[in-house]
Amino acid sequence: MVKELERAGLPTVHICTIVPISKTVGANRIVPAVAIPHPLGNPALPKEEEKALRRKIITKALEALQTDIQSQTVFEWQ
Amino acid sequence: MLRVVHYINQFFGQIGGEEKADTPPLVKEGPVGPGLALQQAFGDKAKVVATVICGDSYFNEHVDEALDQILGMIEKYQPDIFVAGPAFFAGRYGIACATVCKAVQDKLGIPVVTGMYPENPGVDLCKKDVYIIQTGDSAAQMRDAAGKMAKLALKLANKEEIGSPEEENYIPRGIRVNYFANERGSKRAVDMLVKKLKGEPFTTELPMPEFDRVPPAPAVKDISKALVALVTSGGIVPKGNPDHIESSSASKFGKYDLEGIMELSAETHQTAHGGYDPVYANEDPNRVLPVDVMRELEKEGKIGKLHRYYYATVGNGTPVAKAKQYGQAIAKELKDAGVQAVILTST
């Protein structure tokens, strides 16, 4: 799906836990996520901290969307 | 008798389903689950001495740690052959089998065999280095897969010559082998052309690799002015799953309204995905589809606007052809709506 969105000319960032799968599939802008059952959260954290973590990942994703790249790029936030 | 160590996930290891996918590596003496079918296929030529079991989520979330532990466990049993899976069409399991096989082959120098459905993401990760028996997409084909894997494993362990992918049922590794043909190339080419003209089946001698890469789309100039859409393969749907999106092999995607919704909650949304433990996503669906943070950023002017609709499907055993079709349909709708950037989340 990521690839078809980009093929249509829509800049797309893929937030996902298993980066090797994202690379194999052909995503270009990749942001690693936290864990498979909660990619954008961490139930071990208090609510506010969890939301701050989510914001950090999304902020990185927005940065990725505004970055010109030539090939597959992983944008780390950790 | 040859010694075999076998790797399987928590499900085939009879530890549990998705709720046990975070199980760290453990080892059991002798064959477990699919190991019994393997043992039967090995007969008295080899013995499954130990089974290493690891949760699929644990492996993929802690690759380095898990790999260290697993290699230690395998080494202790001094196997002559290492077998992983078969993983069929299970993505995380396939990635785990591929990663462990490569490490066992490279670091321990032991021959390895695994088994997967050709669309498993683990295939591309290791097909150049590892023999992967081509299997069907579900465990219904266990006996057939185990038989083929055992046969190839014995050949590798005995250093016998390995035949072509067709003969041995493994996924092509991209290796060319010289051989003496009965007829010269020009004759073979003309024969092939004649068959093609007659509409008869023929086999090319040089299959072209499929490179389907999409060049990166240009960056968004100013995200604070852009209309941004959310898409997910994590199966987040309104409570009750109104479109009945299937928990695996989804036959459709859904389009859902976010008008007036400031955040998702356990009361309004849920996951329909059957390929991961749903507890955390059901408790707080923003963990998969981050509507709360997107609204916050929208309010602060960090993004122009969050698109009114989000799109969701379940990425669990979804054939590539289907995913492609959903992606194309979603792309068209988003473009027509003037969306300028997309955040796609996957579990």
Side-chain angles (χ1 to χ4, degrees):
Chain A
M1 291 206 295
V2 184
K3 209 155 62 182
E4 293 312 315
L5 292 168
E6 285 245 318
R7 207 193 299 275
L10 282 164
T12 303
V13 57
H14 192 203
I15 304 181
C16 69
T17 308
I18 313 178
V19 173
I21 293 192
S22 183
K23 283 189 178 163
T24 303
V25 166
N28 289 317
R29 294 176 171 87
I30 304 168
V31 172
V34 178
I36 291 156
H38 44 84
L40 287 138
N42 182 353
L45 296 174
K47 269 268 172 251
E48 281 315 301
E49 279 178 45
E50 187 182 11
K51 198 169 170 185
L53 169 72
R54 179 149 59 242
R55 188 175 167 122
K56 195 168 156 187
I57 302 170
I58 299 288
T59 305
K60 183 53 78 174
L62 297 179
E63 185 191 312
L65 286 169
Q66 295 180 91
T67 308
D68 262 316
I69 52 166
Q70 298 307 317
S71 58
Q72 289 187 307
T73 308
V74 179
F75 294 82
E76 297 280 355
W77 50 268
Q78 270 154 327
Chain B
M1 198 186 299
L2 295 164
R3 296 166 64 81
V4 183
V5 172
H6 186 207
Y7 176 88
I8 50 178
N9 71 359
Q10 86 285 349
F11 175 73
F12 286 106
Q14 297 161 6
I15 292 181
E18 284 303 331
E19 77 290 353
K20 294 286 182 194
D22 57 355
T23 304
L26 59 98
V27 64
K28 289 191 176 169
E29 301 269 335
V32 178
L36 299 169
L38 265 184
Q39 184 58 69
Q40 204 173 28
F42 280 132
D44 57 4
K45 295 194 179 75
K47 186 174 180 337
V48 179
V49 290
T51 307
V52 176
I53 304 168
C54 182
D56 283 335
S57 289
Y58 184 90
F59 185 90
N60 282 284
E61 289 168 6
H62 312 84
V63 176
D64 295 337
E65 270 170 78
L67 204 50
D68 271 356
Q69 292 173 38
I70 290 168
L71 287 180
M73 289 170 177
I74 296 167
E75 209 172 6
K76 219 184 85 193
Y77 286 91
Q78 300 185 322
D80 303 295
I81 318 171
F82 177 74
V83 178
F88 304 106
F89 197 9
R92 286 167 302 162
Y93 190 17
I95 294 278
C97 288
T99 311
V100 175
C101 278
K102 254 167 94 169
V104 169
Q105 189 168 270
D106 295 349
K107 296 191 177 154
L108 305 183
I110 298 165
V112 301
V113 175
T114 182
M116 294 183 208
Y117 181 64
E119 283 192 13
N120 191 312
V123 169
D124 276 347
L125 204 61
C126 74
K127 69 174 176 195
K128 286 202 184 105
D129 309 295
V130 170
Y131 287 104
I132 310 169
I133 291 291
Q134 178 167 337
T135 72
D137 62 358
S138 83
Q141 282 97 28
M142 181 63 82
R143 187 162 298 277
D144 178 60
K148 290 171 178 166
M149 286 163 72
K151 198 171 150 214
L152 186 59
L154 287 174
K155 277 193 159 182
L156 284 168
N158 293 324
K159 300 195 169 53
E160 289 173 37
E161 196 181 326
I162 305 299
S164 69
E166 295 76 35
E167 287 160 6
E168 311 274 5
N169 304 298
Y170 61 86
I171 294 175
R173 306 170 68 196
I175 292 172
R176 281 188 214 158
V177 180
N178 289 325
Y179 72 100
F180 287 101
N182 292 325
E183 284 162 337
R184 64 182 189 274
S186 53
K187 169 110 180 21
R188 302 204 305 274
V190 170
D191 286 349
M192 214 184 289
L193 182 62
V194 170
K195 279 190 182 169
K196 189 172 183 176
L197 289 170
K198 283 189 188 162
E200 288 172 8
F202 63 93
T203 314
T204 176
E205 291 185 18
L206 189 63
M208 287 292 139
E210 285 175 42
F211 289 119
D212 185 24
R213 291 284 160 190
V214 175
V220 182
K221 292 275 174 304
D222 184 357
I223 200 87
S224 71
K225 303 266 190 311
L227 179 60
V228 184
L230 286 177
V231 178
T232 187
S233 64
I236 300 299
V237 293
K239 193 90 179 173
N241 190 8
D243 294 327
H244 308 290
I245 297 181
E246 298 86 345
S247 60
S248 73
S249 310
S251 67
K252 58 186 104 126
F253 65 86
K255 173 185 182 182
Y256 303 110
D257 200 346
L258 289 171
E259 182 80 353
I261 296 176
M262 297 314 284
E263 59 178 4
L264 306 184
S265 75
E267 285 72 45
T268 61
H269 291 74
Q270 65 171 91
T271 180
H273 202 293
Y276 64 87
D277 185 350
V279 171
Y280 311 105
N282 285 340
E283 203 172 78
D284 181 359
N286 297 290
R287 286 170 177 155
V288 178
L289 194 80
V291 174
D292 58 349
V293 168
M294 291 302 281
R295 285 294 186 211
E296 218 174 76
L297 295 167
E298 182 181 48
K299 215 163 100 190
E300 295 167 20
K302 299 262 172 34
I303 60 166
K305 194 175 172 355
L306 176 62
H307 183 46
R308 177 168 173 176
Y309 301 96
Y310 79 90
Y311 293 81
T313 190
V314 165
N316 183 24
T318 312
V320 173
K322 282 274 180 194
K324 195 167 172 165
Q325 187 189 318
Y326 303 159
Q328 285 166 347
I330 294 169
K332 181 168 187 315
E333 291 198 17
L334 292 178
K335 291 216 51 155
D336 289 349
V339 167
Q340 289 149 296
V342 180
I343 296 179
L344 196 152
T345 64
S346 291
T347 43

